Amino acid sequence: MTDLIVTINAGSSSIKFSVYRIAQGQLTQLALGQIDGIGGKAHFAVKKTGGEKTGYDFDQSQGAVDHRVALAAVLDWLESEGDGANVVGVGHRVVHGGPIYSEPVRLDDAVLAKLKSFEPLAPLHQPFNLAGVEAARAAFPGAPQVACFDTAFHRRHTFIADTYALPRAYYDEGVRRYGFHGLSYEFIHRILRHEEPVLARGKVIVAHLGNGASLCAINAGKSVGSTMGFTALDGLPMGTRCGQLDPGVVLYLMEEKNMSAAQITDLLYKNSGLKGMSGISNDVRELEASDAPSAREALDYFVSRVRRNIGGLSAELGGLDCLVLTGGIGENAVNVRRKILENMEWFGIQIDFDANARNERIISEKGSPTVVLILKTDEERMIAAHTAELLDLKKPLVPPLE
Ligand code: AMP
C-alpha cells in the first residue's frame, strides 16, 4: 500500500487536487487533477506525472455534482489505480486564516467554526474552501485534514505594516492588510534558503506575477510587507482585478452610478485589470500578440505598477539583495520582465538581457548589487509539505532560519 497525501484547492465551481506519495520522508507528485463545472455540467480530469491524461463527464442522472460527489470521485479514482490508496493526510488551501493563524493547522470542528467566522473577509473563496474541507472529511474519513493559509506567511507583520489609517476599532475587528499568495512566497523562500542561503538571509522581494499578482518584502526570512491588503484586490493590477484604487472611486460608483455592491464586486474582481484596460484579454500572451494600443497600455500600466511597488518595498526594507520573479508572467513573459527591470542600474539592478531572453535562473549581471532570479513556484507542493510536516511524516524541506 502506498501512503498518499492529497492536496485540495476548492473553489465555487471547481476543485483542483494533487496526489503525492510519501515514502522515507520524501514527497513525489503522482498526479494532478481538476473537477470543473460543479453545480452544472461537471467534468473530471486527471494527469499522472509523466503519464496519460484521463477524464470523463459525470453521470448526473442521480443528481447534481456537489463538492462531496466531486471528492468521492477523487477517492474512486485513487482506488481504481491498483495497489491500494492509503490517504494519510489531506492538505487544503484555505485563503484566510484571519488575524489568528500564522501556521498551518490541523482541522477539527472548533478550527472549522473559527474559519467559518472569517467567511466575510473572503466571501468569494473561503466558503468554497471550507465546503472542500467538509467534503474531504466525508470522502477520506480516516485521514487527518490540514488547512494551509494564503495569509499565514504575513501574520508576523508589525502593526504599522498591517493597519490602515482608519480609527483603531476597525483594526481591532479585523480590517487589516492581511496579504495573500503566502504559500507561493513560503515555497520560493524555502527554495532560496536551499539554493542561495546567503541571499535568503538578506533583504528579498518576491514578485508573484500570474493571473493574480502581488509582491512580498521578506527580511531575514520574515514577510515584512505585501502589496495585497484586506482583500486580494489591492496592490498590482492583475488579470481581471483592479489593484490599488482610490476608495473614492467606489463611492463615486455607488453614488453617481447607483451601482450595487454586487455590481462593483463584479467590476473590480472580474472585469478590471489587464482585461478591463485592454478590452481584449486577461492573458499576457494575447495582449503581446495584439496590435491594439489598449493592449500595450494595459501591459505598460502593469509594468509601471510593478516597478513603483518594487521601489516602495525596497525603501521599507532599506535595500534589496535579491529579487525573485515567479508565477506565469514572472517565469515566462520575457518582454514584460525586461520592461520591469530595464533602466534600474541606478537602483542596483543590472540585468543580463541575454540571460533574461534565455529564461536562465539568474538574470542579473555578475556583480549586480541586487541578484535577480527566476524561480518556479509550486503552491501544491507547499501544501503537501506543510501537511506532511504537521503530521510528522516528513522532515522540513529546509530547516528554519537561525
Ligand atoms: P498563472 O496565474 O501563474 O498561471 O499565470 C498566468 C499568466 O501568465 C497569464 O497572464 C499568461 O498569459 C502568463 N503567461 C504564461 N506563459 C506565458 C508566456 N510564455 N509568455 C507570456 N506570458 C505568459
Side-chain angles (χ1 to χ4, degrees), residues 142-225:
Q145 315 271 325
V146 173
C148 303
F149 304 104
D150 276 309
T151 51
F153 187 58
H154 307 294
R155 276 296 47 76
R156 294 188 178 89
H157 285 180
T158 61
F159 168 75
I160 299 300
D162 259 9
T163 193
Y164 289 101
L166 293 171
R168 178 74 182 231
Y170 290 97
Y171 177 88
D172 293 339
E173 73 171 50
V175 181
R176 304 180 185 190
R177 291 181 214 269
Y178 289 101
F180 297 87
H181 288 139
L183 293 162
S184 173
Y185 294 131
E186 266 185 291
F187 181 82
I188 292 291
H189 202 268
R190 285 194 183 198
I191 296 297
L192 206 59
R193 267 144 64 185
H194 195 54
E195 296 181 359
E196 304 282 351
V198 175
L199 289 177
R201 284 193 200 96
K203 295 165 177 161
V204 177
I205 291 178
V206 181
H208 178 107
L209 308 178
N211 213 13
S214 70
L215 306 180
C216 179
I218 304 173
N219 198 353
K222 272 198 202 143
S223 166
V224 294

Side-chain angles (χ1 to χ4, degrees), residues 213-266:
S214 70
L215 306 180
C216 179
I218 304 173
N219 198 353
K222 272 198 202 143
S223 166
V224 294
S226 160
T227 55
M228 275 186 172
F230 179 61
T231 68
L233 273 182
D234 201 3
L236 306 177
M238 302 171 224
T240 61
R241 285 173 256 165
C242 58
Q244 193 229 329
L245 188 75
D246 179 342
V249 173
V250 176
L251 300 177
Y252 171 83
L253 296 175
M254 289 165 65
E255 287 175 3
E256 300 299 324
K257 298 277 178 189
N258 286 322
M259 284 174 73
S260 65
Q263 287 170 319
I264 297 174
T265 300
D266 205 53

